[in-house]
């Protein structure tokens, strides 16, 4: 009989609740304890997992006997302190939401943890596991070696979060960190290379300008471009617009090499698709060889059960499948390492710096 794996969760806002829904789809799992300080979010989480023990602090969570692992889905700026507390009090395998950190000074703290931590740490990079993006990653060799990679995200504005923490750069690391670390992770994964130079342009043109919290107007970007040169000689570009939710697809990724172009088209969350437009778009993978010419498009449908369990095209389930395999010893190590998570944030912080200074940032 398969032993039940017991999870603890830190943070059960929108993303934490998505984790709860997806853990529930995995055989032989149980959420045993949750720390969520906001009363409304705690109540929502308890509706999803009524048998979970609700605790009042990270310390109380770590005192729960039967935990096998912890999922950290708290606000970005709390991650490093919480990881350090877990490392000090009771190290357990961790799945940590992105971005891994927000303050450049925290990189050294994470380096120290990485050297000594006795259990796996998996950084939650859901976009790797979206079926159309996973298909692009798997099929990228058709290009003959990717030389140019373009990632376009045209989406809705930042959603409301508890205490409006995501409205300010000091809590998020900036939009290029909070929202875009996924895409910088994809760049390194697809190109199999590390960045050497980052340039950026962007601003806050439309969103949140009429909002105020304790007399402060939000300072987060709502659009921008980032250009990245890689050690391999490949180049990548990110185009972000957060006032473009009218688009049919939310993400469009294209990789081009000497032999062909491969593209993934990914719709946004189904709950945002208007009913009067009929069925939500189906993700697509398109391969366009140079010779002989002839684009081939293939639908990449996602299981409706997985679509209903969150906003990320089923990817959170596949990510948890992989994490559970590590916990059970069926995978040797996390697929998304602490180093991967740190690189993604470093690239985001470099983009923020390049935007602010107007100068390229070199690694």
């Amino acid at each position: 009989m398969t032993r039940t794996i017991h999870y603890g969760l830190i943070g059960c806002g929108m993303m934490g609740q998505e984790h709860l829904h997806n853990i529930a789809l995995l055989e032989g799992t149980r959420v045993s304890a949750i720390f969520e300080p906001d009363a409304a979010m705690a109540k929502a989480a308890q509706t999803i997992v009524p048998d979970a023990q609700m605790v009042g602090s990270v310390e109380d969570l770590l005192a729960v006997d039967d935990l096998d692992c912890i999922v950290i889905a708290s606000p970005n700026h709390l991650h490093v302190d919480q990881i350090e507390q877990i490392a000090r009090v009771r190290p357990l395998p961790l799945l940590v939401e992105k971005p891994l950190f927000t303050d450049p000074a925290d990189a050294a703290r994470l380096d120290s943890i990485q050297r000594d931590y006795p259990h796996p740490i998996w950084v939650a990079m859901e976009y790797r596991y979206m079926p159309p993006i996973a298909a692009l990653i798997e099929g990228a060799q058709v290009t003959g070696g990717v030389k140019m990679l373009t990632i376009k995200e045209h989406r809705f504005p930042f959603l409301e979060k508890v205490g409006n923490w995501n409205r300010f750069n000091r809590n998020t690391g900036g939009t290029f960190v909070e929202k875009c670390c996924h895409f910088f992770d994809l760049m390194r994964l697809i190109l199999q290379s590390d960045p050497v130079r980052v340039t950026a342009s962007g601003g806050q043109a439309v969103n949140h300008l009429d909002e105020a919290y304790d007399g402060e107007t939000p300072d987060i970007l709502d659009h921008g471009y980032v250009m990245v040169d890689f050690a391999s000689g490949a180049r990548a570009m990110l185009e972000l617009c957060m006032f473009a939710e009218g688009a049919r697809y939310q993400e469009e990724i294209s990789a081009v090499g000497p032999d062909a172009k491969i593209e993934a088209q990914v719709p946004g969350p189904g709950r945002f698709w208007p009913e009067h437009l009929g069925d939500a778009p189906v993700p697509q993978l398109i391969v366009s060889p140079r010779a002989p010419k002839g684009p081939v498009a293939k639908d990449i449908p996602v299981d409706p059960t997985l679509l209903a369990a969150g906003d990320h095209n089923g990817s959170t389930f596949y990510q948890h499948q992989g994490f559970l395999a590590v916990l059970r010893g069926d995978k040797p190590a996390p697929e998304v390492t602490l180093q991967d998570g740190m690189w993604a944030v470093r690239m985001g912080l470099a983009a923020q710096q390049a935007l602010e200074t107007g100068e390229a940032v070199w690694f």
Side-chain angles (χ1 to χ4, degrees), residues 266-335:
V266 188
R271 64 191 174 104
F272 295 152
W273 186 255
E275 288 187 12
H276 73 273
L277 293 178
D279 294 339
V282 176
Q284 280 199 326
L285 184 74
I286 305 168
V287 177
S288 304
R290 294 181 69 189
K293 289 184 181 179
V296 178
K298 177 183 178 183
D299 286 349
I300 309 288
V302 180
D303 184 334
T305 301
L306 303 187
L307 289 176
D311 286 343
H312 295 87
N313 281 276
S315 60
T316 302
F317 172 79
Y318 295 118
Q319 174 180 260
H320 269 289
Q321 237 182 5
F323 181 56
L324 181 60
V326 172
L327 298 175
R328 294 197 182 281
D330 298 329
K331 279 184 184 288
E335 292 174 356

Side-chain angles (χ1 to χ4, degrees), residues 6-23:
H6 294 259
Y7 292 69
L9 258 78
I10 299 175
C12 271
M14 184 194 73
M15 196 62 220
Q17 291 170 40
E18 181 167 324
H19 284 295
L20 293 179
H21 284 299
N22 282 276
I23 292 169

Side-chain angles (χ1 to χ4, degrees), residues 37 40 70 92 98 131 146 154 179 211 222 238 271 274 289 331:
I70 294 175
L92 287 166
K98 64 79 196 171
V146 180
H154 283 191
K179 185 66 214 72
E211 300 174 11
D222 60 12
L238 169 68
R271 64 191 174 104
K331 279 184 184 288

